[in-house]
């Protein structure tokens, strides 16, 4: 299964600073690790997500039902897993409006035991930089229980270049020489 989420493709630069430090396009290099995060996912997390999303499928809260349909036990919602992994991107970009697109494939379910949380380990690296478009493509690796749970997880973010004085260039402005 593949899930894709896109936002407007306008090339405006992020406002920066809302959720973290402003990241600049000139600061990035292919292969650079930008973030390494761990997020606990518990049964409590699943209950809260089910209420917010309206997804009350019993595979997300009933062990007997989950095993009856062939799952190893209760599993996290796929979109919860994707959203949690992508929150690492938001942490490093610092502005949710900078995210232009994100996509992934769900490769393995995230098992969530009844009494203890599962840890979702996320690493964000730079896949490439398109200076002309003012965007960077990021790879997002997510693992739980030692298994990769998302495949081809990527995000495209619009970032401002550094201006000649070392600050962030204004949205839509050309870098000065």
């Amino acid at each position: 299964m593949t899930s894709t989420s896109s936002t407007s493709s306008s090339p405006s630069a992020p406002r920066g600073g809302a959720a973290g430090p402003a990241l600049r396009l000139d600061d990035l290099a292919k292969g650079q690790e930008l973030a390494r995060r761990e997020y606990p996912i518990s049964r409590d997390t699943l209950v809260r997500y089910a209420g917010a999303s309206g997804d009350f499928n019993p595979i997300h809260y009933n062990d007997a039902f989950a095993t009856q349909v062939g799952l190893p036990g209760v599993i996290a919602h796929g979109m919860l897993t994707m959203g949690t992994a992508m929150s690492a991107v938001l942490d490093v970009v610092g502005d949710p409006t900078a995210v232009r697109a994100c996509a992934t494939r769900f490769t393995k379910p995230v098992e969530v035991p009844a009494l203890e949380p599962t840890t979702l380990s996320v690493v964000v690296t730079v896949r490439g930089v398109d200076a002309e478009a003012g965007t960077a493509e990021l790879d997002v690796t997510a693992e739980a229980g030692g298994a990769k749970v998302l495949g081809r997880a990527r995000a495209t973010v619009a970032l401002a270049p550094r201006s000649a004085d070392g600050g962030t260039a204004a949205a839509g402005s050309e870098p000065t020489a």
Side-chain angles (χ1 to χ4, degrees):
M1 175 171 23
T2 299
S3 180
T4 302
S5 176
S6 293
T7 58
S8 165
S9 62
S10 69
S12 64
R15 292 179 204 119
L23 191 64
R24 295 177 179 92
L25 199 62
D26 302 333
D27 296 336
L28 303 181
K30 184 176 181 178
Q32 179 183 2
E33 182 177 308
L34 298 178
R36 182 174 292 268
R37 304 277 194 276
E38 291 190 343
Y39 301 95
I41 297 178
S42 67
R43 293 280 175 101
D44 184 58
T45 308
L46 302 185
V47 169
R48 292 172 191 271
Y49 183 81
S53 68
D55 181 351
F56 293 99
N57 187 325
I59 63 173
H60 302 303
Y61 62 85
N62 184 320
D63 282 302
F65 183 85
T67 55
Q68 188 178 26
V69 297
L71 295 169
V74 166
I75 63 169
H77 304 74
M79 293 305 288
L80 170 64
T81 303
M82 178 183 170
T84 301
M86 291 299 169
S87 68
V89 171
L90 297 179
D91 285 350
V92 295
V93 171
D95 180 1
T97 65
V99 178
R100 297 296 181 243
C102 61
T104 192
R105 292 181 180 166
F106 302 112
T107 58
K108 191 163 180 93
V110 175
E111 297 177 46
V112 181
L115 302 177
E116 58 190 58
T118 293
T119 299
L120 183 67
S121 300
V122 179
V123 178
V124 179
T125 57
V126 178
R127 180 175 182 77
V129 174
D130 185 340
E132 187 173 314
T135 60
E137 188 171 19
L138 308 178
D139 282 327
V140 180
T141 302
E143 295 181 354
K148 190 174 176 182
V149 296
L150 298 177
R152 299 180 48 104
R154 295 187 181 140
T156 302
V157 296
L159 300 171
R162 185 177 304 282
S163 67
D165 65 358
T168 302
S173 68
E174 294 294 321
T176 56

